[in-house]
């Protein structure tokens, strides 16, 4: 990750979204001025990580692609290889299937 390349990188957020990894790195200011070169390097690194994550199985690290799962109401996008794609996944309960509270 970026912090391994330069200790001044600070990751603010990372999350799995739309089947890939999304990383946000904090902006850096030098003498009160926005460091545009730092932002350009950061963007290149985070874009590379995002693209790689969209072609790497989330479960095993093998080559994969983004797949859709769900029942129309609840749909997930995950990057999975062919082997993991066919394995059963836990599915969230459908709307209205929660027990009524007393």
């Amino acid at each position: 990750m970026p912090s391994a390349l330069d200790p001044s990188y600070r990751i603010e957020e990372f999350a799995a979204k739309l089947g890939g990894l999304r990383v946000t790195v904090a902006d850096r200011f030098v003498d009160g001025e926005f460091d545009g070169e730092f932002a350009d390097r950061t963007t290149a690194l985070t874009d590379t990580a995002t693209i790689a994550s969209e072609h790497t199985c989330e479960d095993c690290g093998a080559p994969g692609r983004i797949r859709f799962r769900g029942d129309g109401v609840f749909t997930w996008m995950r990057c999975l290889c062919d082997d993991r794609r066919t394995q059963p996944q836990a599915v969230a309960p459908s709307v209205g299937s929660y027990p009524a509270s007393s």
Side-chain angles (χ1 to χ4, degrees):
M1 278 318 297
S3 60
L5 300 174
D6 183 335
S8 63
Y9 286 88
R10 192 181 87 228
I11 296 173
E12 287 189 330
E13 177 185 13
F14 64 93
K17 291 183 182 176
L18 303 174
L21 176 68
R22 302 299 182 258
V23 180
T24 305
V25 177
D27 290 332
R28 181 168 71 179
F29 295 85
V30 176
D31 297 328
E33 294 291 321
F34 176 74
D35 188 346
E37 288 181 29
F38 176 85
D40 291 344
R41 288 192 315 269
T42 300
T43 300
L45 290 169
T46 57
D47 287 353
T48 299
T50 297
I51 291 167
S53 74
E54 293 170 349
H55 300 281
T56 306
C57 180
E58 295 176 23
D59 291 342
C60 70
R65 65 182 179 87
I66 295 176
R67 317 235 186 206
F68 294 85
R69 297 200 68 119
D71 61 8
V73 176
F74 294 101
T75 302
W76 296 267
M77 294 172 66
R78 295 186 65 207
C79 187
L80 299 170
C81 65
D82 289 338
D83 290 339
R84 298 296 195 269
R85 169 185 73 84
T86 59
Q87 294 178 353
Q89 299 286 319
V91 177
S94 297
V95 173
S97 66
Y98 297 99
S101 59
S102 44

